Amino acid sequence: MEDMVVVRKEGLYCVPGDFYIDPWRPVARAVITHAHADHARMGHAHYLAAAPGAGILRARLGAGINLQALPYGEGISHNGVQLSLHPAGHVLGSAQLRMEHAGRIWVASGDYKLEPDGTCAPFEPVRCHAFITESTFGMPIYRWQPQQDIFEEINQWWRGNAAEGRASVLFCYCFGKAQRILHGIDASIGPIVCHGAVEPLNRLYREAGVALPDTLTVGEAEAGRRGKAAAYAGSLIIAPPSAAGSPWIRRFGDYSDAFASGWMRLRGTRRRRGVDRGFVLSDHADWPALQEAISATGAERIIVTHGQVATMVRWLRQNGLDAGAFATEYGDEETEDGPVPAPATAVMEEDGRHA
């Protein structure tokens, strides 16, 4: 029986539905799982995405994109394929795509995590025959602590710096991670200042009903202050990794810096970053959660798209599942300034089946 989803040069393609899933080249119809740059790209003629992420998509791809926003769980039919979008728990508006055709059900997960964080709808397992999964952290070394423990570590670090009259600069990814941190930390410790790349996304999260503490831009923090550096003593500054070492960061005077990412689990990454602290916090599923999510689908066929592909495929096969991989151009938004995960290694045949 022909696969429902195959790989073409444009991206993952639903054969009976005649549409693409998170395509990396321009296509006529694209279903977008979430608005991170490696999954949501400009140039498609028509977009379908989960309604809670519509504002983020338009902000990132342009207000004029031809976007059809679908509430979670609501079904539509296209070329005989029944489609619906279900929460992935990754970032605001992230979704898994369920496709049903001729009695078969396939689900494409995009990126996901299982631990609810209060900034997006929690992951929802979807039963299916074939599950297309990410594997960003698909190795046994990746096991996350409960997020509340990490938030408390951040609070303690910030509190200690504030007591010594220093600012605390926390580098993290702008979309999703920054808002998750803001939602989880103790905002009573001091003022919070956000980089210009973070603040517009904060606004969109607030408009979507996500509770975030008050934040300031640099201009607002410095307004009416004589000494700029002194304006930040005791503050928490949320900034993208690209701000490290920039003229923008020098305004904060005496500060301690830290980085929040799942990659902080690796000693080499922590050392290479050269920051004072590393907080292990990811918006992707860790090794046990990947296994739990895959098991919950009940799928007998698993296809891995990106991340630690070889390790995950081997583990799945050892556990009796029909597992393979799709070679994709998805990466990991957290690695824009960090280590690049292993690419998909399985050899794809012309029709998209995997070795």
Side-chain angles (χ1 to χ4, degrees):
M1 183 177 291
E2 185 182 53
D3 282 353
M4 191 184 302
V5 176
V6 299
V7 177
R8 287 185 170 182
K9 65 180 185 302
E10 295 89 350
L12 300 186
Y13 177 67
C14 178
V15 178
D18 189 24
F19 59 81
Y20 287 83
I21 306 160
D22 295 344
W24 43 85
R25 294 186 186 179
V27 300
R29 297 189 69 86
V31 180
I32 304 298
T33 63
H34 64 287
H36 275 139
D38 56 331
H39 290 260
R41 304 178 192 235
M42 290 186 283
H44 308 311
H46 182 274
Y47 293 81
L48 174 70
I56 300 264
L57 267 180
R58 287 197 169 99
R60 304 202 116 191
L61 303 182
I65 62 170
N66 183 11
L67 172 62
Q68 180 181 1
L70 193 67
Y72 285 132
E74 184 172 310
I76 60 169
S77 181
H78 182 72
N79 285 351
V81 176
Q82 188 71 16
L83 308 178
S84 55
L85 296 166
H86 302 265
H90 178 56
V91 292
L92 181 64
S94 60
Q96 305 169 81
L97 171 62
R98 181 185 186 274
M99 299 159 280
E100 183 171 0
H101 180 262
R104 294 179 301 155
I105 300 171
W106 282 52
V107 170
S109 68
D111 293 329
Y112 61 90
K113 78 172 187 305
L114 270 57
E115 186 178 25
D117 65 20
T119 65
C120 61
F123 178 87
E124 174 185 303
V126 183
R127 302 286 291 183
C128 57
H129 300 105
F131 185 54
I132 302 172
T133 182
E134 65 140 322
S135 187
T136 302
F137 291 106
M139 293 184 74
I141 60 167
Y142 296 114
R143 297 171 187 271
W144 310 145
Q145 290 177 257
Q147 61 190 334
Q148 197 51 50
D149 294 354
I150 305 301
F151 292 142
E152 188 49 41
E153 289 181 8
I154 295 173
N155 290 336
Q156 289 177 7
W157 166 73
W158 179 14
R159 209 175 275 121
N161 291 329
E164 297 180 9
R166 284 200 299 265
S168 301
V169 177
L170 181 55
F171 298 112
C172 61
Y173 193 71
C174 295
F175 170 35
K177 182 67 58 60
Q179 293 73 36
R180 184 180 175 194
I181 290 171
L182 288 169
H183 182 77
I185 55 173
D186 177 4
S188 70
I189 296 172
I192 302 172
V193 179
C194 288
H195 187 275
V198 176
E199 193 59 28
L201 291 157
N202 293 345
R203 250 190 328 268
L204 291 167
Y205 268 71
R206 291 186 181 106
E207 289 171 6
V210 177
L212 299 183
D214 291 338
T215 52
L216 301 168
T217 63
V218 161
E220 291 168 338
E222 293 179 359
R225 306 289 184 101
R226 290 183 181 176
K228 291 184 177 180
Y232 299 103
S235 298
L236 175 68
I237 291 98
I238 303 286
S242 58
S246 69
W248 184 85
I249 211 79
R250 295 182 196 131
R251 72 182 66 233
F252 301 116
D254 182 23
Y255 65 83
S256 175
D257 58 6
F259 195 93
S261 166
W263 298 112
M264 289 296 103
R265 180 72 180 77
L266 302 176
R267 186 180 307 168
T269 305
R270 293 198 302 271
R271 189 169 52 242
R272 187 171 65 80
R273 286 287 179 187
V275 291
D276 297 329
R277 289 289 301 270
F279 299 110
V280 183
L281 185 71
S282 177
D283 297 329
H284 295 262
D286 63 359
W287 173 250
L290 284 167
Q291 296 175 18
E292 181 182 342
I294 290 168
S295 174
T297 67
E300 64 268 12
R301 173 104 180 266
I302 309 297
I303 302 168
V304 185
T305 55
H306 59 290
Q308 307 296 336
V309 176
T311 302
M312 178 58 76
V313 169
R314 185 166 57 250
W315 183 88
L316 291 166
R317 288 176 176 169
Q318 287 171 348
N319 284 273
L321 292 166
D322 177 6
F326 279 161
T328 71
E329 295 189 12
Y330 308 142
D332 171 28
E333 65 282 351
E334 289 185 290
T335 63
E336 285 189 343
D337 293 272
V340 178
T345 53
V347 176
M348 301 301 305
E349 297 177 4
E350 182 62 26
D351 66 355
R353 288 191 63 82
H354 49 90

